[in-house]
Short mmCIF file of all heavy atoms in Angstrom, two decimals:
data_model
loop_
_atom_site.label_atom_id
_atom_site.label_comp_id
_atom_site.label_asym_id
_atom_site.label_seq_id
_atom_site.Cartn_x
_atom_site.Cartn_y
_atom_site.Cartn_z
N ALA B 217 -20.78 57.06 -23.29
CA ALA B 217 -19.52 57.15 -22.54
C ALA B 217 -18.61 55.97 -22.86
O ALA B 217 -17.39 56.12 -23.00
CB ALA B 217 -19.80 57.21 -21.04
N ALA B 218 -19.20 54.78 -23.01
CA ALA B 218 -18.41 53.60 -23.38
C ALA B 218 -17.81 53.77 -24.77
O ALA B 218 -16.66 53.38 -25.03
CB ALA B 218 -19.27 52.35 -23.32
N ALA B 219 -18.58 54.37 -25.68
CA ALA B 219 -18.08 54.60 -27.03
C ALA B 219 -16.91 55.59 -27.02
O ALA B 219 -15.91 55.39 -27.72
CB ALA B 219 -19.20 55.13 -27.93
N VAL B 220 -17.01 56.62 -26.20
CA VAL B 220 -15.92 57.59 -26.08
C VAL B 220 -14.68 56.93 -25.49
O VAL B 220 -13.56 57.15 -25.95
CB VAL B 220 -16.36 58.81 -25.24
CG1 VAL B 220 -15.18 59.70 -24.90
CG2 VAL B 220 -17.42 59.60 -25.98
N GLY B 221 -14.87 56.09 -24.48
CA GLY B 221 -13.75 55.37 -23.89
C GLY B 221 -13.08 54.44 -24.88
O GLY B 221 -11.84 54.35 -24.93
N SER B 222 -13.86 53.75 -25.68
CA SER B 222 -13.30 52.88 -26.70
C SER B 222 -12.54 53.69 -27.75
O SER B 222 -11.51 53.25 -28.27
CB SER B 222 -14.40 52.07 -27.38
OG SER B 222 -14.93 51.13 -26.49
N GLY B 223 -13.06 54.87 -28.05
CA GLY B 223 -12.36 55.74 -29.00
C GLY B 223 -11.01 56.18 -28.46
O GLY B 223 -10.02 56.22 -29.19
N GLY B 224 -10.96 56.49 -27.17
CA GLY B 224 -9.69 56.84 -26.56
C GLY B 224 -8.70 55.69 -26.57
O GLY B 224 -7.51 55.88 -26.81
N PHE B 225 -9.21 54.48 -26.32
CA PHE B 225 -8.35 53.30 -26.36
C PHE B 225 -7.82 53.06 -27.77
O PHE B 225 -6.64 52.77 -27.96
CB PHE B 225 -9.13 52.07 -25.87
CG PHE B 225 -8.33 50.80 -25.92
CD1 PHE B 225 -7.31 50.58 -25.01
CD2 PHE B 225 -8.60 49.84 -26.87
CE1 PHE B 225 -6.57 49.42 -25.05
CE2 PHE B 225 -7.87 48.66 -26.91
CZ PHE B 225 -6.85 48.46 -26.01
N ALA B 226 -8.69 53.21 -28.79
CA ALA B 226 -8.26 53.03 -30.18
C ALA B 226 -7.20 54.08 -30.55
O ALA B 226 -6.21 53.77 -31.22
CB ALA B 226 -9.45 53.13 -31.13
N PHE B 227 -7.40 55.31 -30.08
CA PHE B 227 -6.44 56.38 -30.34
C PHE B 227 -5.09 56.07 -29.70
O PHE B 227 -4.03 56.25 -30.32
CB PHE B 227 -7.01 57.70 -29.79
CG PHE B 227 -6.20 58.92 -30.12
CD1 PHE B 227 -6.16 59.42 -31.40
CD2 PHE B 227 -5.49 59.56 -29.12
CE1 PHE B 227 -5.42 60.56 -31.70
CE2 PHE B 227 -4.74 60.69 -29.41
CZ PHE B 227 -4.71 61.19 -30.70
N HIS B 228 -5.13 55.58 -28.46
CA HIS B 228 -3.90 55.20 -27.74
C HIS B 228 -3.17 54.09 -28.50
O HIS B 228 -1.95 54.17 -28.69
CB HIS B 228 -4.26 54.75 -26.33
CG HIS B 228 -3.17 54.02 -25.63
ND1 HIS B 228 -2.06 54.65 -25.13
CD2 HIS B 228 -3.00 52.70 -25.37
CE1 HIS B 228 -1.26 53.75 -24.58
NE2 HIS B 228 -1.80 52.56 -24.71
N GLU B 229 -3.90 53.07 -28.91
CA GLU B 229 -3.26 51.95 -29.62
C GLU B 229 -2.72 52.38 -30.98
O GLU B 229 -1.72 51.86 -31.44
CB GLU B 229 -4.23 50.78 -29.77
CG GLU B 229 -4.49 50.05 -28.48
CD GLU B 229 -3.23 49.46 -27.85
OE1 GLU B 229 -2.33 49.01 -28.58
OE2 GLU B 229 -3.15 49.45 -26.62
N HIS B 230 -3.38 53.34 -31.62
CA HIS B 230 -2.87 53.86 -32.89
C HIS B 230 -1.50 54.49 -32.69
O HIS B 230 -0.57 54.27 -33.48
CB HIS B 230 -3.86 54.88 -33.46
CG HIS B 230 -3.39 55.54 -34.72
ND1 HIS B 230 -3.35 54.87 -35.93
CD2 HIS B 230 -2.93 56.79 -34.96
CE1 HIS B 230 -2.88 55.69 -36.86
NE2 HIS B 230 -2.62 56.86 -36.30
N HIS B 231 -1.34 55.24 -31.60
CA HIS B 231 -0.04 55.86 -31.33
C HIS B 231 1.00 54.84 -30.90
O HIS B 231 2.18 54.98 -31.22
CB HIS B 231 -0.20 56.99 -30.31
CG HIS B 231 -0.78 58.22 -30.91
ND1 HIS B 231 -0.05 59.09 -31.69
CD2 HIS B 231 -2.03 58.72 -30.89
CE1 HIS B 231 -0.81 60.06 -32.11
NE2 HIS B 231 -2.03 59.87 -31.64
N GLU B 232 0.58 53.81 -30.18
CA GLU B 232 1.52 52.73 -29.82
C GLU B 232 2.01 52.03 -31.09
O GLU B 232 3.18 51.67 -31.20
CB GLU B 232 0.84 51.71 -28.90
CG GLU B 232 0.58 52.23 -27.50
CD GLU B 232 1.86 52.41 -26.71
OE1 GLU B 232 2.77 51.57 -26.82
OE2 GLU B 232 1.95 53.41 -25.97
N LYS B 233 1.10 51.82 -32.04
CA LYS B 233 1.47 51.19 -33.31
C LYS B 233 2.46 52.06 -34.07
O LYS B 233 3.45 51.56 -34.63
CB LYS B 233 0.21 50.95 -34.15
CG LYS B 233 0.45 50.23 -35.46
CD LYS B 233 -0.85 50.04 -36.23
CE LYS B 233 -1.31 51.37 -36.76
NZ LYS B 233 -2.42 51.28 -37.71
N LYS B 234 2.23 53.37 -34.07
CA LYS B 234 3.15 54.28 -34.75
C LYS B 234 4.52 54.27 -34.10
O LYS B 234 5.54 54.29 -34.79
CB LYS B 234 2.57 55.70 -34.75
CG LYS B 234 1.48 55.92 -35.78
CD LYS B 234 0.85 57.29 -35.69
CE LYS B 234 1.82 58.39 -35.98
NZ LYS B 234 1.19 59.72 -36.02
N GLU B 235 4.56 54.24 -32.76
CA GLU B 235 5.85 54.20 -32.06
C GLU B 235 6.61 52.92 -32.38
O GLU B 235 7.82 52.94 -32.57
CB GLU B 235 5.63 54.31 -30.56
CG GLU B 235 5.25 55.70 -30.09
CD GLU B 235 5.00 55.75 -28.60
OE1 GLU B 235 5.25 54.74 -27.91
OE2 GLU B 235 4.57 56.80 -28.11
N THR B 236 5.89 51.81 -32.45
CA THR B 236 6.53 50.54 -32.78
C THR B 236 7.09 50.58 -34.19
O THR B 236 8.20 50.09 -34.45
CB THR B 236 5.53 49.39 -32.63
OG1 THR B 236 5.01 49.40 -31.32
CG2 THR B 236 6.19 48.06 -32.90
N LYS B 237 6.33 51.18 -35.10
CA LYS B 237 6.79 51.29 -36.49
C LYS B 237 8.05 52.14 -36.57
O LYS B 237 9.00 51.82 -37.31
CB LYS B 237 5.68 51.88 -37.36
CG LYS B 237 5.94 51.80 -38.83
CD LYS B 237 4.72 52.23 -39.62
CE LYS B 237 4.93 52.00 -41.09
NZ LYS B 237 3.74 52.35 -41.87
N GLU B 238 8.10 53.22 -35.80
CA GLU B 238 9.29 54.07 -35.77
C GLU B 238 10.48 53.31 -35.19
O GLU B 238 11.61 53.47 -35.66
CB GLU B 238 9.02 55.33 -34.97
CG GLU B 238 8.08 56.30 -35.66
CD GLU B 238 7.70 57.48 -34.79
OE1 GLU B 238 8.20 57.57 -33.65
OE2 GLU B 238 6.90 58.31 -35.25
N GLU B 239 10.24 52.46 -34.18
CA GLU B 239 11.32 51.66 -33.61
C GLU B 239 11.87 50.67 -34.62
O GLU B 239 13.07 50.41 -34.66
CB GLU B 239 10.83 50.93 -32.36
CG GLU B 239 10.62 51.83 -31.18
CD GLU B 239 10.02 51.10 -29.99
OE1 GLU B 239 9.89 49.86 -30.05
OE2 GLU B 239 9.70 51.77 -28.99
N VAL B 240 10.99 50.13 -35.46
CA VAL B 240 11.42 49.20 -36.52
C VAL B 240 12.33 49.94 -37.49
O VAL B 240 13.40 49.45 -37.87
CB VAL B 240 10.21 48.61 -37.26
CG1 VAL B 240 10.65 47.89 -38.53
CG2 VAL B 240 9.45 47.67 -36.37
N GLU B 241 11.90 51.14 -37.89
CA GLU B 241 12.70 51.92 -38.84
C GLU B 241 14.04 52.31 -38.25
O GLU B 241 15.06 52.28 -38.94
CB GLU B 241 11.91 53.14 -39.30
CG GLU B 241 10.72 52.79 -40.17
CD GLU B 241 9.87 53.99 -40.52
OE1 GLU B 241 10.15 55.09 -40.01
OE2 GLU B 241 8.91 53.81 -41.29
#
Side-chain angles (χ1 to χ4, degrees):
V220 170
S222 291
F225 178 72
F227 186 72
H228 165 74
E229 288 300 325
H230 176 72
H231 283 283
E232 289 290 321
K233 183 180 72 170
K234 282 175 64 175
E235 286 178 6
T236 304
K237 191 172 186 178
E238 289 174 2
E239 288 175 6
V240 168
E241 291 175 356

